[in-house]
Amino acid sequence: MSSIPAKVVAMEERACHYQVVVQIANKYRGSFNTLAFGEIKPYSGSLKDGRLDLVYYLDPELNVGDPFPLWTLH
């Protein structure tokens, strides 16, 4: 696994989930399915143009500006 530099750019708590937006520092050309996350895995997400849109049901305990734990599987 290789680490990918990424940072939380937006975080919003909604009624029953947390919406997190993460910006990947380098142009990542792989798919969402080849990403590995830290201890708290997102319920769902998407990747487009270096931007990850993630949904968590548990508080991921992240703040805007925090580094985001992210790796690629290949």
Side-chain angles (χ1 to χ4, degrees), residues 7 18 43 45 56 64 68-69 72:
K7 181 173 75 170
Y18 297 84
Y43 173 74
Y56 291 87
V64 172
F68 186 80
T72 181

Side-chain angles (χ1 to χ4, degrees), residues 8-68:
V8 177
V9 294
M11 172 85 174
E12 184 178 340
E13 184 177 351
R14 300 208 174 161
C16 61
H17 68 275
Y18 297 84
Q19 188 78 33
V20 179
V21 177
V22 174
Q23 186 67 45
I24 298 174
N26 301 332
K27 284 286 187 184
Y28 180 68
R29 298 182 190 267
S31 73
F32 181 82
N33 295 329
T34 62
L35 296 174
F37 298 88
E39 290 183 25
I40 301 175
K41 312 284 188 257
Y43 173 74
S44 66
S46 65
L47 170 65
K48 184 175 181 182
D49 298 328
R51 174 185 158 144
L52 281 170
D53 291 300
L54 305 170
V55 174
Y56 291 87
Y57 284 120
L58 298 175
D59 185 355
E61 299 180 7
L62 296 166
N63 296 302
V64 172
D66 284 352
F68 186 80

